[in-house]
Amino acid sequence: MMRKTLLTLLFLGLIVQVSAQQPGEDEFGAWYMYFGTNKVSERFSVHTEAQFRFYETTSNFNQLLLRTGLNYHINPNAIATAGYGFISTDGTFFEVPGERNSREHRIFQQFILKNKVWEFLFEHRYRLEQRFINVLDITSDPEQEVNRTEHRGRYRLQVTLPLTDTFFLNFYDELFINLQDDLFGQNRLYGALGIHITENSSVQFGYLRNQFANAVFDRWQIGIFFNPDLRGVFKKKANPAP
């Protein structure tokens, strides 16, 4: 218990320290998120995700992200995924310098490895993305739409520490690497307090420090995780009652 208390205090101190650094704008933004992983067979599950991102805590909508994917569970600690994402961005507040509104269709491939060290649960996520972007370029005169294709790699190290049967801490750092032009894309440092609501659902209240090459953005996050097992539903459909 003493070790968990010390780790909790260290975690909170880290959040205070990084949030005190100079942001890219004066206001804290917020991301409201939903994540679902639903087993449909012994080896396969479906990932669903929706994120609503605001430039300020409850106003000035910035971005909508919808993502889905098919997971193949190699074993309990290894998962391969292929999926698709749609991202609509309102860049009115110059989140991305030189651009305004954009729409993106994204294909991704992902591999997750999990392991446990003492009480710490580690998750390594490797992701490749092919991004097909339509953007309104305001650097041109007159303004014009530009289509471009970009490729990106991402690596996320996530650590989860259970505190009790109900409460846990979650931390991750994720590095984005561009596979064209400038190598560094962004880095996301995240910490949260999580609460298990039921066996298959939880909520996380966290802080994200989103660092780009020339700006840092502070974001509060509320994430809802809902992971019901749907194998029984599909089994009933496959074997209807006589």
Side-chain angles (χ1 to χ4, degrees):
M1 182 60 68
M2 179 61 71
R3 182 170 63 179
K4 288 186 176 181
T5 301
L6 291 174
L7 287 170
T8 302
L9 293 174
L10 180 62
F11 169 84
L12 294 174
L14 176 63
I15 296 301
V16 171
Q17 181 179 2
V18 298
S19 63
Q21 299 191 25
Q22 183 65 33
E25 86 291 337
D26 295 332
E27 299 289 340
F28 269 90
W31 293 4
Y32 303 98
M33 308 174 294
Y34 162 82
F35 301 92
T37 300
N38 308 116
K39 271 291 191 78
V40 294
S41 70
E42 186 63 29
R43 292 286 188 178
F44 289 96
S45 66
V46 176
H47 173 82
T48 53
E49 178 180 345
Q51 298 191 30
F52 303 89
R53 300 173 176 178
F54 289 81
Y55 199 80
E56 298 175 9
T57 306
T58 56
S59 62
N60 293 330
F61 180 77
N62 178 226
Q63 191 173 71
L64 168 69
L65 185 150
L66 302 174
R67 186 156 40 211
T68 188
L70 182 64
N71 303 316
Y72 178 71
H73 297 255
I74 301 169
N75 59 52
N77 296 316
I79 305 170
T81 305
Y84 164 80
F86 171 77
I87 301 91
S88 177
T89 302
D90 178 355
T92 304
F93 298 92
F94 303 100
E95 181 93 7
V96 180
E99 297 180 355
R100 285 287 179 96
N101 300 328
S102 68
R103 290 178 178 267
E104 176 182 343
H105 298 278
R106 182 184 301 174
I107 299 171
F108 71 93
Q109 304 81 41
Q110 175 177 291
F111 185 61
I112 289 177
L113 285 174
K114 301 179 181 179
N115 66 292
K116 183 177 181 180
V117 179
W118 299 309
E119 299 178 45
F120 296 90
L121 306 176
F122 287 84
E123 181 182 287
H124 306 266
R125 189 178 76 182
Y126 307 86
R127 180 182 289 178
L128 288 175
E129 297 177 333
Q130 298 81 51
R131 309 172 64 201
F132 305 95
I133 305 169
N134 173 265
V135 62
L136 178 63
D137 186 351
I138 66 170
T139 62
S140 62
D141 187 17
E143 296 179 357
Q144 62 181 359
E145 289 190 353
V146 176
N147 293 304
R148 66 174 188 262
T149 301
E150 297 183 357
H151 301 270
R152 183 167 70 184
R154 298 166 59 168
Y155 168 69
R156 187 185 76 181
L157 172 61
Q158 178 174 272
V159 182
T160 303
L161 174 64
L163 300 176
T164 67
D165 290 339
T166 302
F167 296 97
F168 61 93
L169 295 178
N170 193 32
F171 165 87
Y172 71 71
D173 188 80
E174 183 171 19
L175 178 64
F176 292 62
I177 297 296
N178 297 321
L179 302 182
Q180 66 283 308
D181 301 326
D182 296 331
L183 188 64
F184 177 76
Q186 58 180 285
N187 190 81
R188 295 179 180 174
L189 180 63
Y190 170 81
L193 173 66
I195 304 172
H196 292 291
I197 307 299
T198 67
E199 182 180 358
N200 296 317
S201 64
S202 63
V203 61
Q204 293 184 25
F205 301 92
Y207 161 78
L208 177 77
R209 181 181 188 269
N210 198 6
Q211 179 177 357
F212 294 85
N214 55 0
V216 176
F217 296 93
D218 295 310
R219 297 290 180 260
W220 299 118
Q221 292 198 348
I222 298 178
I224 297 173
F225 299 77
F226 185 51
N227 307 311
D229 192 329
L230 300 181
R231 284 178 290 182
V233 175
F234 281 85
K235 187 175 181 181
K236 289 180 181 178
K237 289 184 177 180
N239 299 285

